[in-house]
mmCIF file of all heavy atoms in Angstrom:
data_model
loop_
_atom_site.group_PDB
_atom_site.id
_atom_site.type_symbol
_atom_site.label_atom_id
_atom_site.label_comp_id
_atom_site.label_asym_id
_atom_site.label_seq_id
_atom_site.Cartn_x
_atom_site.Cartn_y
_atom_site.Cartn_z
ATOM 1 N N TRP A 81 5.452 -15.214 -25.826
ATOM 2 C CA TRP A 81 6.702 -15.189 -24.994
ATOM 3 C C TRP A 81 6.645 -16.001 -23.728
ATOM 4 O O TRP A 81 7.554 -16.630 -23.301
ATOM 5 C CB TRP A 81 7.139 -13.786 -24.662
ATOM 6 C CG TRP A 81 7.623 -13.026 -25.855
ATOM 7 C CD1 TRP A 81 7.646 -13.452 -27.150
ATOM 8 C CD2 TRP A 81 8.180 -11.680 -25.869
ATOM 9 N NE1 TRP A 81 8.184 -12.494 -28.003
ATOM 10 C CE2 TRP A 81 8.494 -11.376 -27.239
ATOM 11 C CE3 TRP A 81 8.440 -10.789 -24.917
ATOM 12 C CZ2 TRP A 81 9.067 -10.180 -27.587
ATOM 13 C CZ3 TRP A 81 9.017 -9.533 -25.237
ATOM 14 C CH2 TRP A 81 9.331 -9.237 -26.590
ATOM 15 N N PHE A 82 5.393 -15.949 -23.107
ATOM 16 C CA PHE A 82 5.196 -16.682 -21.843
ATOM 17 C C PHE A 82 4.299 -17.877 -22.063
ATOM 18 O O PHE A 82 3.790 -18.466 -21.060
ATOM 19 C CB PHE A 82 4.585 -15.753 -20.786
ATOM 20 C CG PHE A 82 5.537 -14.760 -20.242
ATOM 21 C CD1 PHE A 82 6.847 -14.658 -20.654
ATOM 22 C CD2 PHE A 82 5.129 -13.782 -19.228
ATOM 23 C CE1 PHE A 82 7.726 -13.722 -20.131
ATOM 24 C CE2 PHE A 82 6.003 -12.888 -18.740
ATOM 25 C CZ PHE A 82 7.301 -12.856 -19.192
ATOM 26 N N GLY A 83 4.051 -18.259 -23.285
ATOM 27 C CA GLY A 83 3.180 -19.403 -23.568
ATOM 28 C C GLY A 83 1.695 -19.022 -23.506
ATOM 29 O O GLY A 83 1.319 -17.876 -23.396
ATOM 30 N N THR A 84 0.886 -20.054 -23.596
ATOM 31 C CA THR A 84 -0.597 -19.876 -23.526
ATOM 32 C C THR A 84 -1.160 -20.776 -22.418
ATOM 33 O O THR A 84 -0.528 -21.703 -21.946
ATOM 34 C CB THR A 84 -1.268 -20.247 -24.877
ATOM 35 O OG1 THR A 84 -0.987 -21.654 -25.161
ATOM 36 C CG2 THR A 84 -0.718 -19.375 -25.965
ATOM 37 N N ASP A 85 -2.397 -20.431 -21.956
ATOM 38 C CA ASP A 85 -3.016 -21.160 -20.889
ATOM 39 C C ASP A 85 -3.900 -22.285 -21.455
ATOM 40 O O ASP A 85 -3.814 -22.620 -22.652
ATOM 41 C CB ASP A 85 -3.792 -20.257 -19.975
ATOM 42 C CG ASP A 85 -4.949 -19.562 -20.722
ATOM 43 O OD1 ASP A 85 -5.240 -19.909 -21.831
ATOM 44 O OD2 ASP A 85 -5.563 -18.679 -20.117
ATOM 45 N N ASP A 86 -4.716 -22.854 -20.593
ATOM 46 C CA ASP A 86 -5.527 -24.004 -21.007
ATOM 47 C C ASP A 86 -6.608 -23.607 -21.958
ATOM 48 O O ASP A 86 -7.271 -24.495 -22.519
ATOM 49 C CB ASP A 86 -6.133 -24.650 -19.718
ATOM 50 C CG ASP A 86 -6.998 -23.655 -18.946
ATOM 51 O OD1 ASP A 86 -6.529 -22.500 -18.736
ATOM 52 O OD2 ASP A 86 -8.144 -24.045 -18.545
ATOM 53 N N LYS A 87 -6.858 -22.363 -22.152
ATOM 54 C CA LYS A 87 -7.836 -21.913 -23.154
ATOM 55 C C LYS A 87 -7.207 -21.178 -24.348
ATOM 56 O O LYS A 87 -7.885 -20.560 -25.143
ATOM 57 C CB LYS A 87 -8.896 -20.986 -22.451
ATOM 58 C CG LYS A 87 -9.686 -21.702 -21.368
ATOM 59 C CD LYS A 87 -10.635 -20.823 -20.695
ATOM 60 C CE LYS A 87 -11.477 -21.533 -19.677
ATOM 61 N NZ LYS A 87 -10.677 -22.176 -18.605
ATOM 62 N N GLY A 88 -5.883 -21.312 -24.427
ATOM 63 C CA GLY A 88 -5.224 -20.706 -25.590
ATOM 64 C C GLY A 88 -4.989 -19.208 -25.506
ATOM 65 O O GLY A 88 -4.621 -18.600 -26.517
ATOM 66 N N ARG A 89 -5.144 -18.587 -24.329
ATOM 67 C CA ARG A 89 -4.929 -17.212 -24.192
ATOM 68 C C ARG A 89 -3.506 -16.865 -23.905
ATOM 69 O O ARG A 89 -2.847 -17.658 -23.146
ATOM 70 C CB ARG A 89 -5.890 -16.652 -23.057
ATOM 71 C CG ARG A 89 -7.327 -16.787 -23.350
ATOM 72 C CD ARG A 89 -8.211 -16.487 -22.134
ATOM 73 N NE ARG A 89 -7.983 -17.418 -21.087
ATOM 74 C CZ ARG A 89 -8.749 -17.536 -20.016
ATOM 75 N NH1 ARG A 89 -9.879 -16.752 -19.920
ATOM 76 N NH2 ARG A 89 -8.542 -18.434 -19.071
ATOM 77 N N ASP A 90 -2.994 -15.808 -24.368
ATOM 78 C CA ASP A 90 -1.646 -15.389 -24.217
ATOM 79 C C ASP A 90 -1.418 -14.975 -22.741
ATOM 80 O O ASP A 90 -2.002 -14.024 -22.236
ATOM 81 C CB ASP A 90 -1.307 -14.211 -25.142
ATOM 82 C CG ASP A 90 0.159 -13.800 -25.089
ATOM 83 O OD1 ASP A 90 1.002 -14.636 -25.508
ATOM 84 O OD2 ASP A 90 0.399 -12.698 -24.650
ATOM 85 N N ILE A 91 -0.415 -15.641 -22.123
ATOM 86 C CA ILE A 91 -0.183 -15.406 -20.687
ATOM 87 C C ILE A 91 0.437 -14.061 -20.467
ATOM 88 O O ILE A 91 0.143 -13.355 -19.485
ATOM 89 C CB ILE A 91 0.752 -16.543 -20.123
ATOM 90 C CG1 ILE A 91 -0.123 -17.858 -20.116
ATOM 91 C CG2 ILE A 91 1.156 -16.249 -18.727
ATOM 92 C CD1 ILE A 91 0.734 -19.021 -19.641
ATOM 93 N N LEU A 92 1.358 -13.656 -21.344
ATOM 94 C CA LEU A 92 1.969 -12.347 -21.196
ATOM 95 C C LEU A 92 0.945 -11.182 -21.207
ATOM 96 O O LEU A 92 1.003 -10.282 -20.367
ATOM 97 C CB LEU A 92 3.041 -12.116 -22.300
ATOM 98 C CG LEU A 92 3.666 -10.715 -22.342
ATOM 99 C CD1 LEU A 92 4.385 -10.385 -21.031
ATOM 100 C CD2 LEU A 92 4.625 -10.663 -23.507
ATOM 101 N N SER A 93 0.041 -11.294 -22.141
ATOM 102 C CA SER A 93 -1.045 -10.244 -22.247
ATOM 103 C C SER A 93 -1.867 -10.303 -21.017
ATOM 104 O O SER A 93 -2.275 -9.221 -20.473
ATOM 105 C CB SER A 93 -1.898 -10.494 -23.509
ATOM 106 O OG SER A 93 -1.075 -10.426 -24.649
ATOM 107 N N ARG A 94 -2.194 -11.468 -20.486
ATOM 108 C CA ARG A 94 -3.043 -11.560 -19.323
ATOM 109 C C ARG A 94 -2.320 -10.992 -18.099
ATOM 110 O O ARG A 94 -2.892 -10.382 -17.193
ATOM 111 C CB ARG A 94 -3.480 -13.005 -19.060
ATOM 112 C CG ARG A 94 -4.502 -13.451 -20.068
ATOM 113 C CD ARG A 94 -4.891 -14.937 -19.917
ATOM 114 N NE ARG A 94 -5.565 -15.155 -18.620
ATOM 115 C CZ ARG A 94 -6.813 -14.879 -18.329
ATOM 116 N NH1 ARG A 94 -7.571 -14.276 -19.273
ATOM 117 N NH2 ARG A 94 -7.343 -15.098 -17.152
ATOM 118 N N LEU A 95 -1.008 -11.227 -18.024
ATOM 119 C CA LEU A 95 -0.190 -10.670 -16.909
ATOM 120 C C LEU A 95 -0.204 -9.162 -16.943
ATOM 121 O O LEU A 95 -0.275 -8.494 -15.914
ATOM 122 C CB LEU A 95 1.161 -11.200 -16.902
ATOM 123 C CG LEU A 95 1.402 -12.704 -16.530
ATOM 124 C CD1 LEU A 95 2.861 -13.127 -16.736
ATOM 125 C CD2 LEU A 95 0.957 -12.927 -15.088
ATOM 126 N N LEU A 96 0.009 -8.603 -18.122
ATOM 127 C CA LEU A 96 -0.002 -7.136 -18.258
ATOM 128 C C LEU A 96 -1.342 -6.519 -17.883
ATOM 129 O O LEU A 96 -1.383 -5.562 -17.135
ATOM 130 C CB LEU A 96 0.348 -6.734 -19.719
ATOM 131 C CG LEU A 96 1.778 -7.079 -20.133
ATOM 132 C CD1 LEU A 96 1.921 -6.821 -21.651
ATOM 133 C CD2 LEU A 96 2.762 -6.265 -19.386
ATOM 134 N N TYR A 97 -2.437 -7.107 -18.320
ATOM 135 C CA TYR A 97 -3.743 -6.589 -17.915
ATOM 136 C C TYR A 97 -4.027 -6.941 -16.436
ATOM 137 O O TYR A 97 -4.747 -6.139 -15.755
ATOM 138 C CB TYR A 97 -4.850 -7.143 -18.837
ATOM 139 C CG TYR A 97 -4.998 -6.383 -20.111
ATOM 140 C CD1 TYR A 97 -4.245 -6.742 -21.289
ATOM 141 C CD2 TYR A 97 -5.924 -5.371 -20.270
ATOM 142 C CE1 TYR A 97 -4.425 -6.072 -22.449
ATOM 143 C CE2 TYR A 97 -6.096 -4.669 -21.417
ATOM 144 C CZ TYR A 97 -5.359 -5.028 -22.555
ATOM 145 O OH TYR A 97 -5.503 -4.366 -23.726
ATOM 146 N N GLY A 98 -3.570 -8.086 -16.016
ATOM 147 C CA GLY A 98 -3.719 -8.435 -14.606
ATOM 148 C C GLY A 98 -3.061 -7.459 -13.678
ATOM 149 O O GLY A 98 -3.503 -7.317 -12.509
ATOM 150 N N SER A 99 -1.928 -6.841 -14.097
ATOM 151 C CA SER A 99 -1.252 -5.911 -13.195
ATOM 152 C C SER A 99 -2.201 -4.675 -12.898
ATOM 153 O O SER A 99 -2.065 -4.111 -11.821
ATOM 154 C CB SER A 99 0.023 -5.383 -13.906
ATOM 155 O OG SER A 99 -0.286 -4.695 -15.097
ATOM 156 N N ARG A 100 -3.037 -4.372 -13.817
ATOM 157 C CA ARG A 100 -3.945 -3.283 -13.554
ATOM 158 C C ARG A 100 -4.921 -3.624 -12.371
ATOM 159 O O ARG A 100 -5.129 -2.814 -11.468
ATOM 160 C CB ARG A 100 -4.868 -3.003 -14.800
ATOM 161 C CG ARG A 100 -4.097 -2.348 -15.971
ATOM 162 C CD ARG A 100 -5.032 -2.048 -17.069
ATOM 163 N NE ARG A 100 -4.532 -0.908 -17.815
ATOM 164 C CZ ARG A 100 -5.281 -0.224 -18.679
ATOM 165 N NH1 ARG A 100 -6.533 -0.551 -18.943
ATOM 166 N NH2 ARG A 100 -4.807 0.851 -19.284
ATOM 167 N N ILE A 101 -5.363 -4.890 -12.384
ATOM 168 C CA ILE A 101 -6.316 -5.269 -11.280
ATOM 169 C C ILE A 101 -5.574 -5.445 -9.998
ATOM 170 O O ILE A 101 -5.991 -4.879 -8.946
ATOM 171 C CB ILE A 101 -6.958 -6.604 -11.681
ATOM 172 C CG1 ILE A 101 -7.824 -6.442 -12.998
ATOM 173 C CG2 ILE A 101 -7.857 -7.077 -10.532
ATOM 174 C CD1 ILE A 101 -8.417 -7.757 -13.454
ATOM 175 N N SER A 102 -4.464 -6.152 -10.008
ATOM 176 C CA SER A 102 -3.760 -6.390 -8.783
ATOM 177 C C SER A 102 -3.205 -5.107 -8.095
ATOM 178 O O SER A 102 -3.315 -4.903 -6.897
ATOM 179 C CB SER A 102 -2.556 -7.363 -8.981
ATOM 180 O OG SER A 102 -3.068 -8.634 -9.377
ATOM 181 N N LEU A 103 -2.602 -4.260 -8.923
ATOM 182 C CA LEU A 103 -2.064 -2.986 -8.334
ATOM 183 C C LEU A 103 -3.192 -2.089 -7.889
ATOM 184 O O LEU A 103 -3.007 -1.379 -6.912
ATOM 185 C CB LEU A 103 -1.188 -2.331 -9.403
ATOM 186 C CG LEU A 103 0.135 -2.995 -9.741
ATOM 187 C CD1 LEU A 103 0.868 -2.280 -10.871
ATOM 188 C CD2 LEU A 103 1.034 -3.115 -8.490
ATOM 189 N N THR A 104 -4.277 -2.055 -8.639
ATOM 190 C CA THR A 104 -5.373 -1.233 -8.215
ATOM 191 C C THR A 104 -5.954 -1.706 -6.923
ATOM 192 O O THR A 104 -6.223 -0.851 -5.985
ATOM 193 C CB THR A 104 -6.536 -1.255 -9.274
ATOM 194 O OG1 THR A 104 -6.029 -0.717 -10.509
ATOM 195 C CG2 THR A 104 -7.730 -0.441 -8.871
ATOM 196 N N VAL A 105 -6.123 -2.989 -6.756
ATOM 197 C CA VAL A 105 -6.607 -3.530 -5.481
ATOM 198 C C VAL A 105 -5.710 -3.184 -4.369
ATOM 199 O O VAL A 105 -6.106 -2.699 -3.285
ATOM 200 C CB VAL A 105 -6.811 -5.019 -5.585
ATOM 201 C CG1 VAL A 105 -7.090 -5.609 -4.179
ATOM 202 C CG2 VAL A 105 -7.920 -5.407 -6.507
ATOM 203 N N GLY A 106 -4.358 -3.369 -4.552
ATOM 204 C CA GLY A 106 -3.423 -3.076 -3.526
ATOM 205 C C GLY A 106 -3.347 -1.618 -3.110
ATOM 206 O O GLY A 106 -3.358 -1.288 -1.932
ATOM 207 N N ILE A 107 -3.304 -0.750 -4.141
ATOM 208 C CA ILE A 107 -3.132 0.718 -3.851
ATOM 209 C C ILE A 107 -4.448 1.305 -3.313
ATOM 210 O O ILE A 107 -4.447 2.034 -2.275
ATOM 211 C CB ILE A 107 -2.713 1.484 -5.153
ATOM 212 C CG1 ILE A 107 -1.284 1.007 -5.528
ATOM 213 C CG2 ILE A 107 -2.756 2.905 -4.914
ATOM 214 C CD1 ILE A 107 -0.825 1.538 -6.898
ATOM 215 N N VAL A 108 -5.557 0.977 -3.937
ATOM 216 C CA VAL A 108 -6.853 1.589 -3.469
ATOM 217 C C VAL A 108 -7.244 1.120 -2.078
ATOM 218 O O VAL A 108 -7.667 1.890 -1.237
ATOM 219 C CB VAL A 108 -7.939 1.255 -4.497
ATOM 220 C CG1 VAL A 108 -9.337 1.723 -3.980
ATOM 221 C CG2 VAL A 108 -7.704 1.981 -5.849
ATOM 222 N N SER A 109 -7.070 -0.223 -1.835
ATOM 223 C CA SER A 109 -7.438 -0.731 -0.540
ATOM 224 C C SER A 109 -6.557 -0.091 0.602
ATOM 225 O O SER A 109 -6.995 0.169 1.687
ATOM 226 C CB SER A 109 -7.364 -2.249 -0.505
ATOM 227 O OG SER A 109 -5.990 -2.656 -0.770
ATOM 228 N N THR A 110 -5.266 0.115 0.248
ATOM 229 C CA THR A 110 -4.359 0.700 1.228
ATOM 230 C C THR A 110 -4.743 2.189 1.478
ATOM 231 O O THR A 110 -4.721 2.593 2.645
ATOM 232 C CB THR A 110 -2.897 0.649 0.725
ATOM 233 O OG1 THR A 110 -2.506 -0.706 0.510
ATOM 234 C CG2 THR A 110 -1.940 1.261 1.691
ATOM 235 N N ILE A 111 -5.078 2.865 0.438
ATOM 236 C CA ILE A 111 -5.511 4.303 0.633
ATOM 237 C C ILE A 111 -6.743 4.396 1.467
ATOM 238 O O ILE A 111 -6.834 5.214 2.400
ATOM 239 C CB ILE A 111 -5.729 4.962 -0.738
ATOM 240 C CG1 ILE A 111 -4.435 5.120 -1.485
ATOM 241 C CG2 ILE A 111 -6.396 6.341 -0.588
ATOM 242 C CD1 ILE A 111 -4.508 5.631 -2.863
ATOM 243 N N LEU A 112 -7.743 3.543 1.183
ATOM 244 C CA LEU A 112 -9.021 3.592 1.955
ATOM 245 C C LEU A 112 -8.750 3.249 3.427
ATOM 246 O O LEU A 112 -9.267 3.850 4.321
ATOM 247 C CB LEU A 112 -10.038 2.619 1.324
ATOM 248 C CG LEU A 112 -10.533 3.007 -0.093
ATOM 249 C CD1 LEU A 112 -11.489 1.910 -0.566
ATOM 250 C CD2 LEU A 112 -11.245 4.345 -0.048
ATOM 251 N N GLY A 113 -7.971 2.170 3.600
ATOM 252 C CA GLY A 113 -7.701 1.760 5.049
ATOM 253 C C GLY A 113 -6.894 2.811 5.747
ATOM 254 O O GLY A 113 -7.115 3.067 6.939
ATOM 255 N N ALA A 114 -5.950 3.448 5.026
ATOM 256 C CA ALA A 114 -5.091 4.445 5.675
ATOM 257 C C ALA A 114 -5.965 5.702 6.075
ATOM 258 O O ALA A 114 -5.757 6.256 7.120
ATOM 259 C CB ALA A 114 -4.015 4.918 4.758
ATOM 260 N N ILE A 115 -6.863 6.101 5.185
ATOM 261 C CA ILE A 115 -7.682 7.305 5.491
ATOM 262 C C ILE A 115 -8.500 7.074 6.774
ATOM 263 O O ILE A 115 -8.498 7.897 7.711
ATOM 264 C CB ILE A 115 -8.637 7.605 4.313
ATOM 265 C CG1 ILE A 115 -7.839 8.107 3.125
ATOM 266 C CG2 ILE A 115 -9.657 8.682 4.722
ATOM 267 C CD1 ILE A 115 -8.656 8.322 1.884
ATOM 268 N N VAL A 116 -9.181 5.920 6.849
ATOM 269 C CA VAL A 116 -10.041 5.660 8.025
ATOM 270 C C VAL A 116 -9.122 5.466 9.217
ATOM 271 O O VAL A 116 -9.435 5.995 10.354
ATOM 272 C CB VAL A 116 -10.863 4.396 7.777
ATOM 273 C CG1 VAL A 116 -11.676 4.079 9.076
ATOM 274 C CG2 VAL A 116 -11.815 4.593 6.595
#
Side-chain angles (χ1 to χ4, degrees):
W81 290 5
F82 288 0
T84 61
D85 63 8
D86 59 314
K87 296 179 177 61
R89 297 170 296 193
D90 183 67
I91 293 178
L92 174 59
S93 300
R94 289 178 62 78
L95 288 174
L96 290 173
Y97 276 89
S99 63
R100 290 184 150 194
I101 298 175
S102 296
L103 291 177
T104 297
V105 170
I107 294 173
V108 173
S109 61
T110 300
I111 291 175
L112 293 177
I115 291 174
V116 178

